[in-house]
Amino acid sequence: MGTTEPIRDPAELTKFREYYHTEHPQPRNYALIMLGLHSALRISDLLHLRWQDVYDFELKKSRDHLQVIEQKTQKHNSIALCPDVKKSLVALFKERHPEPEHFVFSKTTDYTTPLCRSQAYRIVRTAAEKTIHEEHVSCHSLRKTFGYHAWKQGVQPALLMDIFNHSSYEVTKRYLGITQDERDGIFLGVKL
């Protein structure tokens, strides 16, 4: 079994991300991948989100920010929800008509029970196998993909360290596979 990797290629990322939206429409699975890619949350935190965390039932609209106490670190995290994530959640909301305490990513037969980690893994693996044929993609790849593309788009390393709660930039670089990418760039870019 190999190491979980981020999805580096933008075209492959698009195919992967859109699998449950266009090719095999399933609003729950699509929202799981969208929120996973755009929030950098661990799968354990995603699976325990309730509708009241992402939807304001009084105002009848998606929340602008997700407030989470991360299970692993017990740290508070405030995450802005981008328009694409909000759209995916609204589509799921319209399909389910949930109560505030229902889990966002629940079983289809019981909204009061969250998906298990193994089912979330199967959802992610199926999208990866059907679209990009990548064997090193798992639930954790969603988190790593966010960080990798944020880094490639110029996000400061200190901000990524803070988002991931890492102790050093070296840890963040190893986590995202940045070290090898930087080395490859040097070898491929030096003209002699």
Side-chain angles (χ1 to χ4, degrees):
M1 184 160 133
T3 305
T4 294
E5 294 289 334
I7 302 169
R8 291 177 172 85
D9 182 87
E12 286 188 347
L13 177 57
T14 298
K15 285 193 274 184
F16 169 78
R17 184 186 66 225
E18 293 297 313
Y19 177 72
Y20 289 114
H21 184 57
T22 56
E23 195 171 322
H24 189 65
Q26 292 185 7
R28 180 199 63 194
N29 298 355
Y30 178 62
L32 176 67
I33 287 175
M34 290 297 289
L35 189 55
L37 286 170
H38 288 89
S39 69
L41 287 173
R42 291 174 185 87
I43 195 67
S44 57
D45 294 319
L46 287 172
L47 296 180
H48 286 91
L49 292 175
R50 295 180 187 267
W51 277 103
Q52 61 203 4
D53 299 324
V54 298
Y55 190 82
D56 187 324
F57 283 82
E58 283 183 30
L59 299 177
K60 296 184 180 356
K61 67 176 196 129
S62 295
R63 295 192 185 278
D64 293 326
H65 286 82
L66 173 61
Q67 306 297 326
V68 178
I69 304 291
E70 294 183 17
Q71 289 183 358
K72 183 175 180 178
T73 63
Q74 294 302 303
K75 291 183 179 179
H76 177 265
N77 198 345
S78 180
I79 299 162
L81 297 176
C82 74
D84 289 338
V85 169
K86 287 181 180 182
K87 275 195 234 175
S88 71
L89 290 169
V90 166
L92 181 57
F93 186 89
K94 287 179 179 176
E95 178 185 85
R96 296 237 170 136
H97 307 289
E99 296 295 322
E101 67 280 357
H102 287 169
F103 288 98
V104 176
F105 305 113
S106 65
K107 296 180 176 186
T108 54
T109 56
D110 179 8
Y111 298 161
T112 63
T113 303
L115 283 178
C116 63
R117 292 174 65 98
S118 59
Q119 180 62 23
Y121 173 79
R122 283 191 292 274
I123 289 167
V124 171
R125 285 295 309 140
T126 298
E129 289 168 3
K130 299 287 186 184
T131 58
I132 61 176
H133 314 292
E134 175 58 54
E135 63 185 57
H136 298 294
V137 172
S138 70
C139 294
H140 210 60
S141 295
L142 303 176
R143 181 172 158 90
K144 287 185 171 189
T145 299
F146 170 85
Y148 179 82
H149 286 278
W151 172 73
K152 290 297 266 187
Q153 293 172 30
V155 172
Q156 295 295 318
L159 290 174
L160 288 175
M161 286 169 45
D162 181 55
I163 287 169
F164 290 127
N165 291 312
H166 289 164
S167 58
S168 72
Y169 180 54
E170 291 303 315
V171 171
T172 302
K173 282 173 40 171
R174 271 194 322 275
Y175 184 78
L176 300 175
I178 292 171
T179 302
Q180 188 60 50
D181 280 1
E182 288 174 338
R183 290 172 50 92
D184 291 351
I186 292 167
F187 288 116
L188 298 172
V190 172
K191 305 290 185 222
L192 300 173

